[in-house]
Amino acid sequence: MATVNDNYLKLKAGYLFPEIARRVNAFAEANPEAQIIRLGIGDVTEPLPEACRSAMIKAVEEMGDRASFKGYGPEQGYAWLREKIAAHDFQARGCDVDASEIFISDGSKCDCGNILDIFGDDNSIAVTDPVYPVYVDTNVMAGHTGEVNDRGEYAGLTYLPITADNNFTAAIPSQRVDLIYLCFPNNPTGATATKEHLKAWVDYAQANGSIIFFDAAYEAFITDPSLPHSIYEIEGARDCAIEFRSFSKNAGFTGTRCAFTVVPKTLTAKAKDGSEVQLWSLWNRRQSTKFNGVSYIVQRGAEAVYSEAGQAQTKALIDFYMENARIIREQLTAAGIQVYGGTNAPYVWVKTPNGLSSWEFFDKLLHTVHVVGTPGAGFGAAGEGYFRISAFNSRENVNEAMRRITEKFKL
Ligand code: MLT
């Protein structure tokens, strides 16, 4: 009989968001009259920017004409999109990133998992706690961990606690690790990193020959001009960091699918024979073999983000969600609930009131006020006692959810 990848059997019951959906669906089925407001998964709700839609419609028309029809595109993405990204997102901020170092993909969730294909199985790995579960689960699937304990921690991973005491930014570890996942603005806590904090990580990575996986999917939500948007704003990062970016949250592409990963050509890691190997070549080889690129139509839509109209429209979208975040923060604070994040990120990290555990608070909100959030414990043991509220929703739903929560939980 064929065998399975036993590593999958080590995974905790279900991926967090499907588990939440399961509980919400069961509640909805039993209570069909309940008007449920979903502030759980960070999925956008507002329509795609007009500039992106028009570009995609035009691209569809081109596909209908033999002269402009496109078949397979470059696996790395079209040069015109990569060049715009390099110029706007990196060079304009003084980052030394070339278009050829940008790989267009269908999502940073996929890239964060797929990147492990080009790394050895013997690397030591550090993640923060709480953490975006994809970083952990993909390492479990790849066989990089042992079993899970009853705190939900996998043997073999180094967990770096992020708490209110350290402003939800991990202390630099005292031991050596090979791979480090950092996410700023942070999912789930909404925390941000200063240039000094990132510089400390880059120094650590350079001193230890480590690679930082820098997830910057939420960089567009940074409002404080002193905060870095890219790890490449830090000197030396080209030699120790891979950065993941996405059009999902800034331009509403969660259903449209377009993202990109930056692998600098100067970045290397060691082969078993001790030689240094360029990671860019391996990722290029991986993508060329396992991926056929994002559709021409979607890439044209992403390119439109960088047009004048696209820039104005995506800014309006971001401002809209950040106004939701402000409402959530202010309403909960006024009700006596302690909140973090939500000023440079679309997530508000809430201390659960009355000493409730995060799943207890989840169930209570769902059952009493019909509002869905994400239990902090789902992001790791140190997330216990916290709850994530996403600002991705209509203004009407956010206002209504806050009204219901604050009426019920006023302290
Ligand atoms: C989240 O809610 O954490 C995000 O939607 C996850 C993602 O973007 O994959």
Side-chain angles (χ1 to χ4, degrees):
M1 187 185 266
T3 61
V4 298
N5 176 352
D6 270 81
N7 296 312
Y8 277 63
L9 309 181
K10 294 183 203 158
L11 290 164
K12 281 179 285 170
Y15 182 59
L16 175 61
F17 295 105
E19 170 58 20
I20 290 172
R22 193 188 62 72
R23 292 192 187 208
V24 174
N25 292 341
F27 175 80
E29 226 165 83
N31 302 275
E33 75 298 341
Q35 299 289 311
I36 298 173
I37 300 178
R38 290 172 166 81
L39 301 175
I41 191 165
D43 192 6
V44 294
T45 54
E46 303 310 297
L48 282 177
E50 196 277 329
C52 301
R53 280 181 282 132
S54 307
M56 285 193 272
I57 290 166
K58 182 162 171 276
V60 170
E61 293 304 332
E62 287 176 54
M63 295 297 263
D65 182 343
R66 170 166 260 285
S68 50
F69 171 78
K70 301 276 184 299
Y72 290 127
E75 294 91 349
Q76 301 80 1
Y78 284 99
W80 36 260
L81 176 56
R82 300 166 88 196
E83 276 155 17
K84 293 230 165 54
I85 293 169
H88 281 78
D89 288 337
F90 297 103
Q91 291 154 11
R93 291 190 174 277
C95 305
D96 178 15
V97 171
D98 186 72
S100 63
E101 298 173 317
I102 292 166
F103 292 83
I104 309 298
S105 77
D106 60 346
S108 1
K109 172 165 146 179
C110 322
D111 283 356
C112 283
N114 291 337
I115 198 75
L116 294 175
D117 274 13
I118 65 167
F119 286 90
D121 287 330
D122 46 2
N123 286 305
S124 50
I125 297 156
V127 293
T128 62
D129 178 10
V131 67
Y132 178 42
V134 170
Y135 312 151
V136 172
D137 287 3
T138 52
N139 274 291
V140 177
M141 291 169 175
H144 298 166
T145 72
E147 298 295 332
V148 70
N149 67 18
D150 48 15
R151 278 171 56 81
E153 296 163 336
Y154 288 92
L157 289 185
T158 298
Y159 289 89
L160 309 172
I162 53 174
T163 64
D165 292 338
N166 59 18
N167 286 324
F168 302 100
T169 48
I172 307 292
S174 45
Q175 76 277 35
R176 218 193 132 262
V177 289
D178 298 306
L179 305 176
I180 306 139
Y181 290 82
L182 294 180
C183 173
F184 288 113
N186 187 251
N187 181 11
T189 66
T192 49
T194 59
K195 280 194 176 146
E196 294 67 38
H197 183 71
L198 291 190
K199 170 88 174 78
W201 276 113
V202 167
D203 289 348
Y204 170 89
Q206 286 195 303
N208 290 287
S210 320
I211 303 284
I212 298 170
F213 294 149
F214 191 74
D215 183 349
Y218 299 95
E219 61 75 34
F221 296 85
I222 292 176
T223 51
D224 177 344
S226 73
L227 295 174
H229 287 238
S230 165
I231 196 156
Y232 303 116
E233 290 179 51
I234 312 302
E235 207 187 320
R238 278 186 60 81
D239 300 323
C240 62
I242 290 174
E243 183 163 307
F244 303 96
R245 292 269 191 116
S246 173
F247 293 98
S248 281
K249 312 293 160 95
N250 63 340
F253 273 48
T254 54
T256 308
R257 310 308 307 151
C258 197
F260 58 94
T261 288
V262 183
V263 186
K265 288 187 172 159
T266 45
L267 196 57
T268 59
K270 217 173 248 168
K272 281 224 160 54
D273 66 5
S275 59
E276 276 191 43
V277 177
Q278 188 193 45
L279 290 171
W280 181 93
S281 305
L282 298 192
W283 185 244
N284 190 44
R285 184 71 172 81
R286 191 261 173 218
Q287 292 298 81
S288 308
T289 304
K290 291 196 177 181
F291 188 56
N292 258 334
V294 173
S295 84
Y296 172 72
I297 297 160
V298 168
Q299 289 192 64
R300 280 294 186 204
E303 182 195 27
V305 166
Y306 299 100
S307 66
E308 210 180 312
Q311 289 286 284
Q313 290 161 14
T314 48
K315 179 172 183 317
L317 260 184
I318 291 159
D319 289 349
F320 175 83
Y321 291 126
M322 289 310 286
E323 175 63 8
N324 284 348
R326 187 191 65 74
I327 292 168
I328 296 168
R329 269 190 305 111
E330 290 188 0
Q331 298 264 325
L332 295 181
T333 305
I337 297 173
Q338 174 80 56
V339 300
Y340 302 91
T343 49
N344 292 287
Y347 296 125
V348 180
W349 191 237
V350 177
K351 184 93 196 82
T352 55
N354 308 325
L356 292 173
S357 78
S358 49
W359 278 107
E360 280 168 354
F361 189 54
F362 172 88
D363 285 330
K364 206 163 185 104
L365 279 189
L366 176 61
H367 289 263
T368 60
V369 295
H370 311 154
V371 174
V372 180
T374 310
F379 297 103
E384 183 52 273
Y386 289 92
F387 194 75
R388 194 192 74 177
I389 297 189
S390 156
F392 293 116
N393 216 306
S394 67
R395 182 63 40 76
E396 193 189 349
N397 277 349
V398 165
N399 281 330
E400 173 60 12
M402 289 308 109
R403 188 191 65 72
R404 294 187 202 168
I405 296 177
T406 53
E407 259 175 29
K408 185 83 192 162
F409 290 95
K410 207 170 179 60
L411 295 181

